[in-house]
Structures are given as C-alpha cells and as structure tokens.
C-alpha cells in the first residue's frame, strides 16, 4: 500500500468510526513465524544429540508450502551445513523435484530429528519423543495440506506402525489431522534403482495433490 493509499484508507476509517479507530496489528506482530520458532529451539540440548551435533537442522523451504517432506534425521552433510537433504540423497531429491517442475523453494523439507545421530544410527525412541513436538509445532505453523514421509524409518517413526514400504506407499494416512503419504527415501533410490519407477509414480501423485491444494487455496482465498 502506498503512503497516499494509506492516508485515504485512514480517512475512510475516520469517516466511518470517528475518533475511535480500530487498527489491525502489522503482520509481524500478529504471527509467530517459523524463524521465530527456529530461534527459540536451535540451541536445544534436550537429548544427547544436542551435544554431539555440529549444526541444528531446523528445516528449509517455503513456510507457506502446501506440502511438507519429512525425512528421518540429518546426516553428515546436513549436520555440517545446517540444512536438510544437502548430501547425495538430497541432490537426488532436488532432481526429482526438478522433474516435476518444483524446487526446494516450493516445498518445505525437514526431518523428524533435528540433530544428527552419531554414525547415522536410527533415531532412538527417547530422541523421537523429545524431538517430535518440534515437528508438530512446525506443521502447526505451516499448515500443509499434505505431509510426505520420506522413507521407511520416517514413516514408521511418525505413524507408529511397522508396515512395508510397498504397502505404505499405497495408503493415505492421517498424521495429527493432516493427510500423509509415504514414499521411498532418496538414499534407498540410490542403493536400489529398481525403486525409481514406483517412486516416480508416487511423485506424480504428490504433484497432483500439490496442484490441487494450491488451486483450492486460491479459490478459497
Ligand atoms: N536423510 C534424511 O533423512 N534427512 C536428511 O536431511 C538427509 C538424509
């Protein structure tokens, strides 16, 4: 809004309400942003990973994205750079996004655990218990229309199930009120190229949902 628009807006408000003016708070005062949350938690030492990590890996991408991708935990490269999926698996993920005309700026990417487990071991139940509330808060702020769990471990961890990938990827689950799909972890695609075909089917479906959510959001304002 230009300065003159702003004054004419204020004049209209004054005509309507006299000297009693109701103002809305500027957006920055109204909303608690993802970066506010990141600043609040990025020195976390609730579990031992807080002492062994190099960098806290909060998440990256568009805070208004319709879709949030959730991996398992940062690896070596992510721990060094403070950003999820920047190593070999991350490069493949970027290529998959590019193949469906998306980039990491269109989506939001984070992990169940925000700190790297030593030697990339699986997350411990106690670590998940302490870290999952951070993911839930991120989702509360972003309000995505779809979550995509990347890999068996992320899916098992979030959904508290032990099903096989080939079964999970055919389902749509609900995670804390939000629809959740499951697909292969990009590391699994690097290890086993025969998973690339079903993963490609999954990502085409994910793109369709992404476009559907965007169009619903634009119709509903
Ligand atoms: N694997 C994950 O699950 N997350 C990352 O950020 C990197 C590799």
């Amino acid at each position: 809004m230009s300065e003159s628009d702003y004054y004419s807006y204020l004049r209209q408000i004054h005509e309507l309400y006299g000297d009693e003016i109701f103002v809305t708070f500027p957006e920055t005062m109204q909303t608690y942003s993802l970066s506010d949350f990141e600043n609040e938690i990025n020195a976390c030492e609730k579990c031992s990973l807080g002492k062994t990590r190099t960098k806290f890996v909060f998440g990256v991408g568009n805070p208004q994205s319709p879709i949030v991708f959730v991996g398992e935990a940062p690896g070596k490269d992510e721990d060094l750079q403070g950003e999820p999926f920047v190593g070999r698996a991350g490069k493949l993920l970027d290529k998959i996004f590019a193949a469906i005309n998306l980039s990491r700026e269109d989506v939001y990417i984070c992990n169940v655990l925000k700190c790297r487990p030593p030697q990339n071991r699986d997350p411990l139940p106690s670590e998940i218990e302490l870290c999952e509330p951070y993911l839930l808060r991120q989702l509360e702020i972003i309000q995505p229309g779809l979550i995509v769990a990347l890999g068996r471990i992320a899916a098992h961890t979030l959904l508290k199930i032990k099903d096989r990938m080939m079964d999970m990827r055919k389902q749509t689950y609900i995670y804390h009120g939000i629809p959740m799909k499951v697909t292969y972890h990009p590391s699994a695609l690097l290890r086993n190229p025969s998973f690339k075909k079903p993963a490609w089917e999954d990502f085409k479906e994910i793109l369709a949902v992404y476009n559907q959510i965007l169009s619903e959001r634009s119709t509903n304002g």
Side-chain angles (χ1 to χ4, degrees), residues 71-75 78 84-85 111 185:
E72 174 187 332
E78 292 75 23
F85 287 97
N111 285 300
H185 194 286

Side-chain angles (χ1 to χ4, degrees), residues 2-90:
S2 70
E3 199 173 331
S4 73
D5 287 345
Y6 186 63
Y7 280 115
S8 80
Y9 166 75
L10 281 182
R11 258 194 306 279
Q12 278 176 15
I13 295 285
H14 190 246
E15 270 164 29
L16 282 170
Y17 301 111
D19 287 331
E20 200 174 346
I21 298 179
F22 297 91
V23 286
T24 50
F25 282 100
E27 231 170 73
T28 49
M29 291 176 72
Q30 241 177 11
T31 55
Y32 179 76
S33 71
L34 266 187
S35 54
D36 292 331
F37 184 47
E38 179 172 5
N39 291 334
E40 199 180 294
I41 65 169
N42 64 12
C44 178
E45 290 197 355
K46 282 192 190 171
C47 77
S48 64
L49 302 184
K51 302 202 170 49
T52 53
R53 70 162 178 250
T54 311
K55 288 196 175 167
F56 187 86
V57 183
F58 180 76
V60 71
N62 175 0
Q64 267 108 40
S65 175
I67 296 193
V68 172
F69 289 84
V70 184
E72 174 187 332
K76 186 166 182 260
D77 297 298
E78 292 75 23
D79 175 65
L80 290 172
Q81 294 182 44
E83 186 171 322
F85 287 97
V86 288
R88 259 188 91 217

Side-chain angles (χ1 to χ4, degrees), residues 88-90 92 185-193 196:
R88 259 188 91 217
L92 177 58
H185 194 286
S187 300
L189 304 180
L190 289 170
R191 280 195 307 271
N192 193 338
K196 284 189 178 170

Side-chain angles (χ1 to χ4, degrees), residues 93 96 148-152 165-167 169 182-189 192 194-200 202-203:
L93 187 62
I96 298 171
V148 179
L150 289 171
R152 188 176 47 87
M165 176 55 73
M166 58 195 286
D167 298 323
R169 53 181 286 275
V182 177
T183 189
Y184 296 91
H185 194 286
S187 300
L189 304 180
N192 193 338
S194 73
F195 293 153
K196 284 189 178 170
K197 191 161 177 282
W200 177 238
D202 295 345
F203 273 88

Side-chain angles (χ1 to χ4, degrees), residues 161-212:
I161 55 173
K162 290 272 177 220
D163 294 357
R164 295 175 307 174
M165 176 55 73
M166 58 195 286
D167 298 323
M168 290 189 293
R169 53 181 286 275
K170 294 187 193 131
Q171 309 287 327
T172 300
Y173 299 93
I174 300 291
Y175 177 74
H176 291 264
I178 305 166
M180 177 186 271
K181 296 292 293 175
V182 177
T183 189
Y184 296 91
H185 194 286
S187 300
L189 304 180
L190 289 170
R191 280 195 307 271
N192 193 338
S194 73
F195 293 153
K196 284 189 178 170
K197 191 161 177 282
W200 177 238
E201 298 302 320
D202 295 345
F203 273 88
K204 282 193 289 188
E205 196 183 326
I206 290 163
L207 177 66
V209 179
Y210 175 93
N211 286 328
Q212 188 192 334

